[in-house]
Amino acid sequence: MTPRSELLLDLEPGTLQSQESHDQIVIDTTSWRILASETISIDGFPEFHIAPGDVTSYTLWR
């Protein structure tokens, strides 16, 4: 498998989702394609057993 270079964009809270989470987007720097995106909880949601910093959504593109 050939190694690849990736760029991680760490977006401010509320950019794509709510103020309670922030998003990260992974981009392949050779093709400039989006490889993955994830939403991360900032304060957590105790009623749903989600701790601060937990990933609440993840999408992977091929």
Side-chain angles (χ1 to χ4, degrees):
M1 189 160 135
T2 306
R4 63 181 183 211
S5 297
E6 299 170 351
L7 175 67
L8 175 68
L9 299 177
D10 192 12
L11 305 175
E12 291 291 323
T15 303
L16 297 178
Q17 302 287 331
S18 70
Q19 291 292 325
E20 290 84 24
S21 63
H22 71 93
D23 296 281
Q24 293 183 333
I25 300 172
V26 181
I27 299 174
D28 181 321
T29 59
T30 302
S31 66
W32 294 106
R33 290 180 40 212
I34 296 174
L35 301 175
S37 124
E38 64 182 26
T39 302
I40 302 164
S41 169
I42 294 173
D43 295 325
F45 300 96
E47 62 275 13
F48 297 109
H49 304 287
I50 297 173
D54 280 358
V55 174
T56 58
S57 173
Y58 188 84
T59 303
L60 177 68
W61 285 273
R62 290 180 167 210

